[in-house]
Amino acid sequence: MSCRLPTSIIPTHYALTYSQINLSAPYSFHGKATISLSINGDSIDGDSGGNYASQKVGNSVTLHCLELNISSATLSDANGVSMDAVSLNFSKTNETCTIVFPSVLPSGSGAVLDIMFEGNLNDQMRGLYRSTYKGLDGEVKTMACTQFEATDARRAFPCWDEPAMKATFQLTCSIPQTPGFEAVAISNTPVSSTSTYLLGSSKWRKYIFETTPKMSTYLAALVIGEFDVVSATSPKTSIQTSVYTVPGKGSQGVFCLDTAGRALDFLEATYGVKYPLTKSDLLAIPDFAAGAMENWGCVTYREAKILTDTGTSLEMRKGIARTVCHELAHQWFGNLTTMEWWNALFLNEGFARYMEFIAVDNLFPEWGIWDEFVGGVFVLALGLDAMDNSHPIEVDVNHPDEINSIFDSISYAKGASLIRMLANWLGEDVFMEGIRKYLSKFGFKNAKSSDLWGTLGEHSGKDVVRMMEMWTKVMGFPVICVGKDGKVTQEKFRAGGRMGKAPAESKWKIPIVFEDGEAMVMGVGEDDKVAKKISSGKGAKLNKGQVGFYRVNYAEDMWATLAGRMGVGGMSNTDRLGLVSDVFAMAKGGYQPVSVALDFVKDMGGIEAEDEFVVWQEVCERLIELAGVYKGEEFEDDYKKFVKSVVGKQWEMIGWEKKEAEKANKGSMRGVLLSAMAASGDEGVKKEALRLFNEYYAGGKEIAADIRKVVYKLAVSKDEDSVMPKMRALYLKTSFPEEQRNLMMAMGACKGGGIWRDTIEWALWSGEVKKQDAVYPLSTLGGGGKGEMAFEYFKENFERLKETFTGPIWGAVVFMCCRGVKEIEGVVAYFEDKDVGGAKRRLDQAVEGGRLRLDRVKRDREVLKDFWC
Ligand code: BES
Ligand code: ZN
C-alpha cells in the first residue's frame, strides 16, 4: 500500500483560521482552511516520478484528513468562479479525504480550496490536543497545543501532510478570555495583530500571525494557554529567545533560555546560514509524548526536558543542554532543508543528534560531552543494530505506523554515529563546509540522502556515495576479527553469534584509525596493509576514539594484553570504554567465552578513577546487565561476589558524601557505582539508601541530586511497603519534573509484594499521574527482573493499555513489558492473534532479546562452572 498522495495537485499556501478553540468542554475547535493550489503545475522537490504516483487531474482532490468533520468544501478558480463539493469520501486506512467536485479542476495556479472543518481537542498528545496543569490557585487549568510530527497535522486541519509538500502558512485563531484565565496564543511566527470581541456574553481574543516561510506541515505549531515567560536577545544573532512555562515556573526556564540563546549564535555561525525566522521560542508543555519537538521557531518540550531548579542533577542539566541544541540544530537541518520522505529520517535525527554534541561541547567545554557520545549513543546503536530485528537506516516506510516505528535508536544513534564516522573520515572542517553548501543549496527545499552525500563528495573530492552506501542501505555492521596470526577479516556482527560456521560475506568499507593515528580503509583492497600494520604491533588497539561503526574481536591472548593497559595512561576514556563494550558484546554473542570479559575487568577495581566516569559507567552497566541475566542461576552468588570485587573498592574510595572540590562527574560516578553495589547484593547500601530516604521524607537532609534517582530505587527495593506510599505522597507534592520522574521510575523497582499492583493501578488509571509518566512504574518493573509480573499485568490490561497509550509510549510499554519474560515463547504465543499496531518491531526486538538471553545463559553456565575457584 502506497499511502502517498498524488502530486498532480499541490498546495502552495494555507490560510488557516480557527474561529473557535474551546479550552473547556466540549473541547471543540472550528476552523477554515483556505488552500492555494498548483494543479498539474510544478512538480515538487526531489520528485523524480518514482516515488509519487503521478495521476491525471480529474474532478476530485485527495488530501490528508483524520478525525475531523468537514462541513463544506468549495473550489474557486483563478477568476473566482467556484463550485461546491458533491461528495466527500473518507479513507480511514489512508487517513485521507477525497473531495469530489461536479467538474474537472482547472489546471495552473490560482485555484483556491476552502474547507470548513471541526474537531476535538483530544487528550492523546497528538494533533491539536489539550493538556492540563494545576494553576497557582490550585485549580486544574487547560491549555492546548500541537504535536504534528510525523503524520498528525492531518488531525488539526485538512492538508497535504507529507514533508516534501512545502507551503507557506498564515494562521489566525480565536481563543476564549475568561476572568482569571487570559490565554495567549503562540505559533511559528510572531503575532502581527490581535483584537478582542464578544461572542454572546463571552469575551474572545483573535490572534493573527505573520506568514511563515515555505515549510513542511509537520513543523507547524500552535500553543494556547496562560504562561510565565522569560526572554533574552542573543548578542550575535539579535534574535529574541523566549521560554514559556505554566504560571509559577518561569524561573525554572532561565538555564535553558541562556543555553538556547548561546546555541543559536553558535549554530548560525557553524551553519553559515542566517537563522531563517525572527524569533525563537521554547515552550514547556505539561503533557507531551516525545521529549521535544522542533516546530520552526516554536519548539515544544516536555517539562522535564528543559526546566531546572537548584536541585537539578548534572546528568539532567547535560540532557537539557543536549535537547535544546538538538532542536535548534533542526531549525536549519530538518526545517530549512527537509528530508524528501521519511525513509531518510536518519538524516534529520542522526544529524541533529550529532550536532547536539558539537554544540554542547562548544557551550560547555568543561563537561567533556564527547566522552558520553560513545557510551550513550554509539554503543546504543551497536546494541540494537546487532539484532536480526534491526532495520536498515534507510528503509521503505509508508503507513504512519511504519513511519513512527523508525523514530528509534537506529535513526538517531546509528544515524549520528555514521555521520560522526563520515565527518572524521572527511575531516571535521571539510565536513562542516560541505554541510554549509548543502544547506544553502537546499534551503526551503527537500533533499535525499544522496543529495547530502553528493554535496559532501563534490566538496571533499572523496567518494562519499560509495563509502556510505552499504552503511545506510544494509542493516547491521561489521566485526573485525583479529586472529592470532595477525590475520584480519570482517564479517557481519550478530548479537546471537556467527551465522553458521563460515563468516557471512561482508563488504563494508571500514575506515580504520589505529592507535598511532594512521588511517586506512578496509574493504577496498587495503586489507593486507591493515594486517601488516596489526602484526607490526604498532596499531595495537583498533578504532581509535571509537569513531568507526564496528566492533573488534581480538584473539584471546590479545584481550589479556589489552586488559593490562586499562589502568595506565595513554589510552583515552573512549578507547577504554570501547574495549569494555566490545569484550562484553563478544561474550554476549558467543564470539568469546564470558570468562574473557570478566577477566578483562577483574583488575580494574584497584585503580583510582579520576575522570573515568564513562569507563566505569560502561563497566557497571555491563555487570548489572549480567546480574539480571544470571538471576536464579546456581552461581548467582558467586557472580555477585565477583561484581563486588570489581566495584567495591571504587565505591569505598568515592563514598556517599560529596567531597569538597571534587570533579563534576564524580557525582554521576557515585550514582553508577552505587547501582552496581546494589547489584552485587550489598545490603549495606540498600539500608543506608532507605535511611537517607526516610530522613529526607521526614523533612531532614536533602539527598544529593546526582544520586537521588538511585537512592529512591534502592529504598524501594529495601522496603517497598513503607516506601511506596511515601513516594506517592512526594509525587503529588512536587511540581518538579525530574523529581516526578525519579519517583515514578523508582516505584518499578519493587519486589512484587502486595503493594505493587496498587501502585501500578494508581499510576496508570487514577488520573493523578501525567500520562507521559504513568507507564514508568510498569516499564521499570519489566526491565528490572520482574518480567513475568509486568507481562501478566500487561495481558490483563491489554486493550485498555493499547487504547490509552499511543505512538512511541505504546511501543515502549510493549517492549518493556515483554523483554524480561523468561518463558519468552509464551509471549510469542500470546501475540499470535493480537494487533500491536505500531509496536510490532519493538515486540519482535523484545522477543529476540529474550531468546538471546536464554541462549547465553546456557552457554555461560558451562564456562563459569570453574571460573570462580
Ligand atoms: N523530531 C523529534 C520529535 C519527535 C520524536 C517527533 C518522535 C515525532 C516522533 C525531536 O527532534 C527529537 O528528536 N526529540 C527527542 C528529544 C531528544 C533530542 C532529547 C525525543 O523526543 O526523544
Ligand atoms: Zn530530532
Side-chain angles (χ1 to χ4, degrees), residues 147-151 218-219 288-295 299-302 305 319-320 322-327 330 342 345 348-349 352-353 356 403-404 407-408 412 808:
Q147 169 60 41
F148 290 166
E149 193 179 12
T151 58
Y218 80 90
L219 294 169
F288 201 76
M293 175 63 213
E294 70 266 28
N295 313 302
V299 180
T300 44
Y301 295 84
R302 198 184 263 229
K305 288 287 181 183
I320 288 168
R322 278 179 50 189
T323 306
V324 167
C325 290
H326 176 109
E327 304 309 338
H330 277 313
W342 297 109
L345 177 71
N348 248 14
E349 297 303 351
R353 175 122 300 165
E356 280 170 31
I403 296 169
N404 286 318
F407 283 84
D408 62 3
Y412 280 76

